[in-house]
């Protein structure tokens, strides 16, 4: 399938061919009295006219890949038309600098090669036509001839290069359009999921809990999937200043049927590294709850922005422990995770406060100063 | 019987909630699937409590909450919404809603919440308490003159406990207060914000010359 760009390029080559044919025709009519053998000139003009029509059709039909045969025939005919000048004009007139019979028309295949085969193709075709020009005037190559050669070579190169650029730009545009379509599709899916799938999952979670037994387990699973899917389709958090992250975006995914996450409505910015460390510390604290607080323990995460510091609290309603036994607990490995929490928060220049008592649960408060941004 | 209006754009969910509330002894006087319909049905049926989803086509859930809360006689609004709509929840509550429950709540929690809303008690989740704490902090750091609402130390303390999942009973025990006092503190944190919001709207209207 030829793209719009390919069709436009071949139309441009065809236009060049027709216009340059007009120019060549005009010159031949104007110089008709100067030819030694006018019949050769008229024949060449006729041939050029026939090939202009044929080539336009053939290139249009075979776009975007005209094929080597068509390109070679095109180039051969142009070279032939240039060489035929010798048969029409006397050596004196050629030496005097009279133009070749096809003049600019001979550049049409150079353009075609450039479009079809890039800068190298264009330059090669330019070389071939230039060679014919030079053979034509071998006896006395004028400055105009050298100019023509340079122009042909550069023309072939530049056309090939520009066409390559245009094709790359078009491919990029196509990719961008594709990405945009995919994004739109994702938004549409998110809206549909929000309207239907999430509602049904929430409904299953609720009904399951009411029926109890196995259904309650199914309901719990549906509820967890609802939260996971909601996090997935929620629009990505808005881009913040470079190097900083919204702590809320990192912590809300921890919400589940047993974990509540409370935070301000506005973003809580920390440097990306600090935000990740705090999120890791919260994950470790929640892991601690799951391991040690006992079955059915629930946890609450509270994020507060105090301006100069960010405070994150993780509380559970589990078994808890006597604070006097903190070191003992740490020794027994029970608070091993706590040490990793403490290490992370201290490294950020923050404080950690642990309060706990048996039967009431444990509360871990992490306070991290804001050092760089306000 | 308490007259209840159920507003949700998802028919299956809407019917399930309406049925649960009907079974629990409430009088479900109407249901609506979009914002404009909600306001119309509320005018015709005069519910005492509206159970409101915020994710609505047409008139936004926040605007519906504002209009219902300002109606005469006023309709109390319980927001029953999905997580991840935090900004909307805060806006609905400042606009006059007195309760917020996540859709993952159980039927018993829903029934209890509607009952408390009908009684005039605010229904708080830890999530809502976290939003209010953040909003007071934001107001304190934005220049707004003498009218900026502030929490007392005790109110902040109570609100933080709510945000960390403690029940009113547990808070009352920790602070050696009565259950009623804790409830009043929570109520105050909400009322101050709503009054401030209303005053802002009136001031805006006067500045724009819209008051008549």
């Amino acid at each position: 399938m030829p793209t719009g760009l390919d069709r436009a390029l071949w139309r441009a080559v065809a236009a060049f061919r027709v216009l340059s044919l007009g120019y060549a025709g005009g010159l031949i009519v104007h110089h008709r009295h100067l030819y030694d053998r006018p019949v050769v000139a008229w024949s060449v003009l006729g041939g050029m006219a026939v090939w202009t029509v044929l080539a336009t059709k053939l290139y249009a039909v075979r776009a975007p890949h005209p094929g080597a045969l068509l390109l070679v025939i095109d180039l051969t005919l142009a070279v032939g038309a240039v060489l035929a000048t010798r048969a029409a004009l006397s050596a004196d007139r050629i030496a005097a600098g009279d133009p070749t019979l096809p003049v600019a028309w001979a550049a049409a295949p150079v353009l075609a090669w450039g479009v079809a085969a890039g800068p190298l193709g264009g330059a090669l075709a330019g070389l071939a036509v230039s060679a014919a020009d030079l053979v034509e005037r071998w006896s006395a190559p004028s400055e105009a001839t050298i100019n023509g050669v340079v122009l042909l070579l550069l023309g072939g190169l530049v056309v090939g290069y520009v066409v390559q650029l245009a094709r790359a730009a078009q491919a990029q545009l196509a990719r961008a359009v594709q990405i945009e379509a995919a994004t739109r599709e994702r938004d549409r899916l998110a809206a549909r999921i929000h309207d239907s799938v999430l509602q049904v999952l929430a409904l299953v979670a609720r009904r399951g809990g009411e029926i109890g037994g196995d259904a309650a387990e199914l309901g719990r699973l549906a509820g967890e999937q609802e939260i996971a899917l909601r996090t997935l389709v929620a629009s990505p958090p808005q881009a913040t200043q470079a190097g900083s992250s919204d702590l809320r975006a990192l912590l809300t995914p921890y919400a589940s049927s047993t974990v509540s996450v409370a935070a301000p409505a506005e973003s809580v910015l920390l440097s990306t590294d600090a935000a990740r460390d705090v999120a890791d510390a919260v994950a470790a604290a929640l892991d601690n709850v799951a391991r040690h607080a006992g079955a059915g323990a629930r946890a609450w995460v509270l994020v507060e922005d105090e301006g100069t510091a960010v405070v994150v609290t993780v509380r559970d309603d589990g078994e808890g422990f006597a604070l006097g036994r903190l070191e003992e607990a740490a020794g027994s490995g029970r608070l091993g995770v706590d040490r990793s929490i403490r290490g992370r928060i201290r490294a950020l220049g923050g404080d950690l406060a642990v309060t706990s008592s048996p039967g009431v649960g444990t509360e871990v408060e992490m306070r991290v100063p804001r050092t760089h941004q306000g | 019987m308490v007259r209840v209006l159920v507003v949700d754009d998802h028919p299956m969910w809407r019917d399930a909630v309406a049925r649960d509330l009907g079974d629990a002894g409430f009088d479900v006087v109407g249901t609506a699937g979009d914002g404009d319909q909600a306001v119309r049905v509320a005018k015709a049926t005069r519910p005492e409590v509206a159970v409101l989803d915020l994710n609505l086509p047409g008139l936004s859930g926040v605007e519906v909450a504002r209009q219902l809360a300002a109606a005469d006689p006023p309709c109390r609004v319980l927001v029953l919404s999905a997580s991840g709509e935090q900004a909307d929840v805060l806006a609905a509550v400042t606009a006059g809603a007195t309760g917020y429950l996540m859709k993952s709540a159980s039927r018993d929690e829903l029934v209890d919440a509607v009952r408390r809303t009908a009684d005039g008690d605010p229904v708080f989740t830890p999530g809502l308490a976290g939003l209010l704490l953040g909003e007071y902090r934001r107001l304190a750091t934005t220049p707004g003159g003498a009218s900026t609402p502030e929490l007392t130390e005790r109110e902040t303390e109570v609100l933080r406990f709510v945000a960390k999942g403690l029940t009113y009973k547990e808070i009352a025990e920790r602070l050696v207060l009565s259950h009623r006092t804790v409830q009043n503190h929570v109520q105050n944190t909400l009322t101050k914000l709503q009054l401030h919001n209303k005053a802002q709207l009136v001031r805006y209207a006067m500045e724009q010359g819209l008051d008549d």
Side-chain angles (χ1 to χ4, degrees), chain A residues 194-195 206 305 315 363, chain B residues 10 20 55 137 160 164:
Chain A
H194 192 274
D195 285 351
R206 205 150 143 262
D305 191 341
R315 188 186 83 87
E363 185 170 322
Chain B
H10 199 274
D20 286 350
N55 185 37
R137 163 97 23 209
R160 288 193 80 216
K164 289 187 279 186

Side-chain angles (χ1 to χ4, degrees), chain A residues 245-252 267-270 274-276 278-279 303 310-312:
Chain A
S245 298
D246 183 0
L247 186 59
R248 299 177 313 155
L250 296 178
L251 293 184
T252 38
S267 50
V268 179
L269 295 182
L270 274 178
R276 202 184 37 240
V278 171
V303 182
V310 171
V311 181
V312 180

Side-chain angles (χ1 to χ4, degrees), chain A residues 194-196 199 202-203 206-207 210 230 260 262-266 300 302 304-306 313 315 360 363 365, chain B residues 10 12-13 16 19-20 55 82-83 85 90 103 105 107 110 126 130-131 137-138 160 163-166 174:
Chain A
H194 192 274
D195 285 351
S196 52
Q199 302 271 15
L203 200 61
R206 205 150 143 262
R207 280 273 171 251
E210 288 157 22
R230 189 183 295 288
S260 141
E266 298 188 318
W300 292 267
L302 171 61
E304 291 169 283
D305 191 341
E306 293 190 344
T313 315
R315 188 186 83 87
V360 174
E363 185 170 322
E365 188 180 284
Chain B
H10 199 274
M12 221 157 118
W13 179 271
R19 196 173 52 236
D20 286 350
N55 185 37
S83 55
E85 299 170 7
L90 181 61
K103 279 197 167 172
R107 176 169 59 175
L110 173 66
L131 288 172
R137 163 97 23 209
R138 186 186 70 80
R160 288 193 80 216
K164 289 187 279 186
L166 276 82
R174 282 211 193 182

Side-chain angles (χ1 to χ4, degrees), chain B residues 42-126:
Chain B
K43 266 190 192 133
T45 59
R46 301 184 173 262
E48 292 157 76
V49 176
V51 176
L52 177 69
D53 180 20
L54 292 182
N55 185 37
L56 292 176
L59 201 61
S60 78
V62 174
E63 193 47 41
V64 172
R66 187 189 308 285
Q67 294 198 13
L68 293 187
D72 185 32
C75 167
R76 296 203 167 96
V77 178
L78 172 67
V79 172
L80 181 64
S81 200
S83 55
E85 299 170 7
Q86 304 304 357
D88 283 348
V89 170
L90 181 61
V93 165
T94 26
T98 58
Y100 164 54
L101 206 61
M102 297 223 301
K103 279 197 167 172
S104 51
S106 71
R107 176 169 59 175
D108 292 345
E109 286 173 307
L110 173 66
V111 168
D112 181 53
V114 174
R115 196 157 283 143
R116 278 159 59 200
T117 304
D119 288 346
D121 290 333
V123 174
F124 266 57
T125 56

Side-chain angles (χ1 to χ4, degrees), chain A residues 47-256:
Chain A
M48 280 162 56
V50 170
W51 181 243
T52 297
V53 173
L54 260 178
T56 301
K57 288 220 155 146
L58 284 172
Y59 277 116
V61 169
R62 309 180 72 163
H65 303 295
L69 184 65
L70 178 56
L71 286 170
V72 169
I73 293 176
D74 195 10
L75 186 58
T76 311
L77 288 175
V79 168
V82 172
L83 293 177
T85 309
R86 262 198 123 92
L89 278 175
S90 67
D92 289 351
R93 293 233 59 99
I94 290 175
D98 273 15
T100 63
L101 286 177
V103 274
W105 187 84
V110 177
L111 298 186
W113 278 57
V115 170
L120 197 66
L124 273 177
L127 212 58
V129 177
S130 305
D133 263 348
L134 287 173
V135 165
E136 186 60 34
R137 299 173 192 275
W138 193 244
S139 45
S142 65
E143 255 180 58
T145 312
I146 305 298
N147 271 345
V149 168
V150 171
L151 271 178
L152 272 172
L153 274 175
L154 285 184
L157 262 174
V158 168
V159 166
Y161 177 64
V162 168
V163 164
Q164 252 180 9
L165 274 187
R167 289 223 171 95
Q170 206 199 19
Q172 232 159 23
L173 182 69
R175 256 202 308 281
V177 168
Q178 227 168 17
I179 290 171
E180 210 234 304
T183 309
R184 250 208 317 272
E185 177 64 5
R186 183 182 161 283
D187 288 349
R188 194 184 65 80
L189 271 179
R192 289 283 300 265
I193 287 173
H194 192 274
D195 285 351
S196 52
V197 182
L198 289 180
Q199 302 271 15
V200 172
L201 281 176
L203 200 61
V204 171
R206 205 150 143 262
R207 280 273 171 251
E210 288 157 22
I211 298 167
D214 287 350
E217 174 65 11
L218 290 179
R220 196 184 58 73
L221 289 174
E224 278 174 10
Q225 287 311 304
E226 191 236 326
I227 291 167
L229 191 56
R230 189 183 295 288
T231 312
L232 199 67
V233 298
S235 39
Q238 288 189 337
T240 49
Q241 299 115 282
S244 67
S245 298
D246 183 0
L247 186 59
R248 299 177 313 155
L250 296 178
L251 293 184
T252 38
Y254 290 113
S256 71

